[in-house]
Amino acid sequence: MESLRKYLTNKNLYIANIVSGSLMILMALICYSGVGNLSNIGSSWSDYASALSNSLSGLSFACILYYIDLLLVILLVIGWGLKIFYFKEKKEMTVIPFVISVVALLFEIYGVSTVSALSSVARMDFGGMLSSAYNLQNIESMKIPFIILFLAHISYLIVAILFMRMDKKGKSMDSTKFEQGTENLIKKLQAFAKDPKGKKTLIGIVSVCAVVVVGCVGFGLYNMFKKTPIDLVSDVQVTFSGYDGEGSATVEGTADYDHTNADITSFIYGVTYEVENNGELSNGDEVTITANYSKETANSLKLDITKASKTIEVEGLDEVYRTWDDLSKEDQKTVLDRAYDKVMKKAKDTTYQYFGKETITVNSLNQIAAYYTYAKGSGEGSLKLIYKADITSTNDGDTVNHVEYYMATASGLKPTKDGIGKISVDVSYLYSQDDSEQEAIEDAEDYRVDAEDKIDIEK
């Protein structure tokens, strides 16, 4: 402590008082100048915008000076307090600045919340402005405390200059009565503190004062640094639509937020949601829903984004027959039987003679190739089957044996609640009666089917 004493000189503390008082005067001039600029602007929008920008910049700078001055006043109270109570320099040239500094500190702490609200205005921090709406609404009631604060700073600015000049000339005030009064007051306080009841009362007063001071400072700091937590994904609803393997997700709803805050509302409506692999979803997939938002805007609104993504399971997409093997054995048999019957009927109804009575006998009908395709977007599959028919045609005793080729197309293959549902089978005649099986298949692949869709089906 003794090493600290050489720095805690009256001169140094007077200088700090003068700096503090000068800061308060500077703040007052900046605020007064800003109001004057707004009241004397021209009629054009550019003049107004320029004056408003200058005023807000000045207000922001004044708020910064306020916090610097608050720190300086706290240091002054500590410095003068050490000189009086620790180093026992109980003179009017130390006690008077100490008392004025304490008064200034109390009113300065009392004004922290209002200055914090004004700082939000200066920075165009609309989220902070809304959270400090009460302080902004009651700013009129802060006029008297700020006037007292200003007068306190002016007082110890004048006192500091006066005492500094007296100290420099080696003069001092007639402090006999002052010191005697101070000593008597201290003795009375000591006696009061030694009494059990007085001690409890003193502890209570000190505790209340400490709580008030800590509460004011804490409230001011809380308003400066607090953030509003927002979960962007937990309250949104995700619905899936489309076909299994090509499904899409739709995100509806918004996060739970303060709907009275227009700026947070604007921020929320600017949030977009991205779904992993959207448009290619399959039932059972685990996909991540991610909220895309402006981090810069969130910071300016003092928003704490607690959650911006979540993982959910895809469900409810319409099932499809993407491959032939997706059909059950029973449904496969149904399709093949329908196709066979249609081709058989077509073969029996084909006419080879134009005169006389003709008898058609299908000696054999065999499937020689199969092709399966899935139409993305429609959710339907299609099976094309090529058949080879060995046919005998009899007309007026003349018998002719020949081979014919047909293609059956079973379309509209998609699951329903009743299984495969209603299917459509069309049969067309392939003009390849003089070809081998391989040649007939190649002809079909050239014009009717895609060779890459060829599959093996148990015949």
Side-chain angles (χ1 to χ4, degrees):
M1 268 305 176
E2 290 301 324
S3 61
L4 181 63
R5 187 169 190 170
K6 65 180 181 180
Y7 296 106
L8 288 177
T9 63
N10 287 356
K11 180 180 178 181
N12 289 342
L13 292 173
Y14 290 150
I15 291 173
N17 278 121
I18 293 171
V19 171
S20 178
S22 301
L23 287 176
M24 183 57 65
I25 294 173
L26 180 58
M27 280 186 277
L29 290 174
I30 290 173
C31 294
Y32 179 78
S33 175
V35 173
N37 288 337
L38 286 177
S39 61
N40 295 315
I41 58 174
S43 58
S44 67
W45 167 250
S46 60
D47 289 341
Y48 177 79
S50 177
L52 179 60
S53 176
N54 292 335
S55 297
L56 291 178
S57 297
L59 180 59
S60 179
F61 182 61
C63 291
I64 294 172
L65 291 180
Y66 186 92
Y67 292 118
I68 294 173
D69 186 62
L70 173 61
L71 177 61
L72 186 55
V73 173
I74 292 173
L75 294 176
L76 280 169
V77 171
I78 294 173
W80 286 120
L82 286 173
K83 286 185 72 67
I84 295 170
F85 299 105
Y86 187 82
F87 298 121
K88 308 300 181 181
E89 298 182 18
K90 303 180 184 70
K91 297 181 181 181
E92 75 286 350
M93 297 179 72
T94 56
V95 175
I96 292 176
F98 172 72
V99 172
I100 299 175
S101 297
V102 169
V103 172
L105 177 60
L106 292 176
F107 280 95
E108 197 144 3
I109 291 173
Y110 182 68
V112 165
S113 57
T114 301
V115 173
S116 175
L118 291 174
S119 179
S120 298
V121 174
R123 292 182 286 108
M124 301 299 286
D125 179 3
F126 297 106
M129 288 164 59
L130 188 63
S131 64
S132 304
Y134 176 80
N135 296 317
L136 290 171
Q137 290 171 357
N138 293 276
I139 196 170
E140 188 72 19
S141 64
M142 290 299 298
K143 280 186 177 181
I144 293 178
F146 278 131
I147 290 173
I148 296 174
L149 177 61
F150 179 75
L151 293 176
H153 277 74
I154 295 298
S155 298
Y156 68 49
L157 172 63
I158 295 172
V159 168
I161 293 174
L162 178 61
F163 285 175
M164 191 173 178
R165 288 175 61 85
M166 293 175 63
D167 193 53
K168 184 177 180 181
K169 293 179 179 181
K171 296 180 181 181
S172 63
M173 298 177 65
D174 184 6
S175 58
T176 303
K177 293 182 179 180
F178 182 82
E179 290 178 356
Q180 289 177 351
T182 303
E183 289 177 0
N184 290 334
L185 178 62
I186 292 174
K187 288 179 181 179
K188 289 181 180 180
L189 289 174
Q190 289 175 343
F192 182 76
K194 289 179 181 179
D195 182 71
K197 292 184 178 180
K199 188 175 183 179
K200 289 182 180 179
T201 303
L202 189 60
I203 291 174
I205 294 172
V206 172
S207 299
V208 170
C209 292
V211 169
V212 170
V213 171
V214 172
C216 290
V217 174
F219 182 73
L221 293 175
Y222 173 74
N223 280 335
M224 287 175 59
F225 298 108
K226 76 169 182 177
K227 288 192 173 184
T228 302
I230 288 187
D231 181 342
L232 293 177
V233 293
S234 293
D235 291 324
V236 298
Q237 294 79 45
V238 183
T239 56
F240 299 100
S241 60
Y243 301 109
D244 186 27
E246 53 190 285
S248 299
T250 302
V251 182
E252 298 176 328
T254 59
D256 184 19
Y257 67 98
D258 181 5
H259 292 265
T260 63
N261 189 323
D263 293 288
I264 296 181
T265 299
S266 178
F267 168 80
I268 290 296
Y269 279 97
V271 175
T272 59
Y273 293 90
E274 180 180 348
V275 182
E276 181 183 14
N277 298 324
N278 203 13
E280 301 177 357
L281 304 178
S282 300
N283 288 324
D285 286 350
E286 295 284 338
V287 296
T288 300
I289 313 299
T290 303
N292 297 318
Y293 63 95
S294 170
K295 293 182 179 179
E296 182 178 340
T297 303
N299 289 333
S300 68
L301 294 176
K302 292 185 180 179
L303 301 179
D304 178 19
I305 307 303
T306 59
K307 193 175 182 182
S309 65
K310 69 176 179 179
T311 301
I312 58 176
E313 182 178 345
V314 179
E315 59 183 4
L317 297 177
D318 295 337
E319 297 291 341
V320 296
Y321 296 139
R322 198 170 295 278
T323 68
W324 173 250
D325 291 334
D326 290 339
L327 281 76
S328 67
K329 293 297 182 182
E330 181 181 354
D331 287 339
Q332 288 181 353
K333 184 176 184 305
T334 299
V335 175
L336 294 175
D337 288 347
R338 286 283 304 279
Y340 183 88
D341 292 344
K342 281 271 189 174
V343 173
M344 179 63 77
K345 185 176 185 305
K346 179 76 172 179
K348 289 181 178 180
D349 291 344
T350 301
T351 298
Y352 301 95
Q353 303 293 332
Y354 296 101
F355 303 100
K357 185 177 180 180
E358 181 181 18
T359 302
I360 302 295
T361 303
V362 179
N363 302 313
S364 64
L365 180 63
N366 298 310
Q367 170 216 316
I368 60 174
Y371 304 84
Y372 189 86
T373 58
Y374 171 76
K376 187 175 181 180
S378 69
E380 296 184 351
S382 176
L383 178 68
K384 295 181 183 295
L385 300 167
I386 298 178
Y387 287 89
K388 175 183 179 181
D390 186 325
I391 296 174
T392 299
S393 172
T394 303
N395 179 261
D396 293 335
D398 294 331
T399 300
V400 178
N401 293 319
H402 48 94
V403 173
E404 303 293 342
Y405 294 95
Y406 299 89
M407 185 171 73
T409 301
S411 57
L413 305 182
K414 61 188 304 183
T416 67
K417 62 180 180 179
D418 299 322
I420 196 172
K422 185 178 181 180
I423 59 174
S424 173
V425 179
D426 295 319
V427 178
S428 58
Y429 180 76
L430 300 179
Y431 294 93
S432 304
Q433 62 269 28
D434 296 327
D435 294 339
S436 65
E437 288 186 10
Q438 185 58 38
E439 289 175 328
I441 292 172
E442 290 176 355
D443 287 344
E445 291 179 351
D446 286 340
Y447 302 104
R448 304 290 187 97
V449 295
D450 188 337
E452 294 181 357
D453 298 329
K454 192 173 184 180
I455 60 174
D456 291 326
I457 293 181
E458 184 179 348
K459 300 179 177 60

